[in-house]
Amino acid sequence: MSAESGNAAVVASPCVSVCAIDAPTGLCAGCYRTLGEIAGWIDLSADERRSVLAALPERRARYGAPIAARLSDGKR
């Protein structure tokens, strides 16, 4: 394990085990990451992980209610 990958492991995944991709936005309804961000998480540096994490509150604020509404209607 390289020093960089060891540091990246310190930046925890935002996954909350609510894995459902919202088709209109392409975001996970649980963590608000894209499929690419989810799939690539293990390969991201700590700085890249922090950058993804920094974007999540804005995504949740912007898309959280519409995604939740679609999920409750059974429309993913």
Side-chain angles (χ1 to χ4, degrees), residues 5-30:
S5 64
N7 290 336
V10 174
V11 181
S13 168
C15 180
V16 294
S17 298
V18 178
C19 304
I21 299 299
D22 177 63
T25 63
L27 299 175
C28 174

Side-chain angles (χ1 to χ4, degrees), residues 2-4 7 9 12 14 16-17 25 29 37 41-46 51 63 68 75:
S2 72
E4 183 172 327
N7 290 336
V16 294
S17 298
T25 63
E37 290 166 343
W41 187 260
I42 196 163
D43 295 320
L44 297 179
S45 69
S51 178
Y63 300 112
K75 300 175 189 171

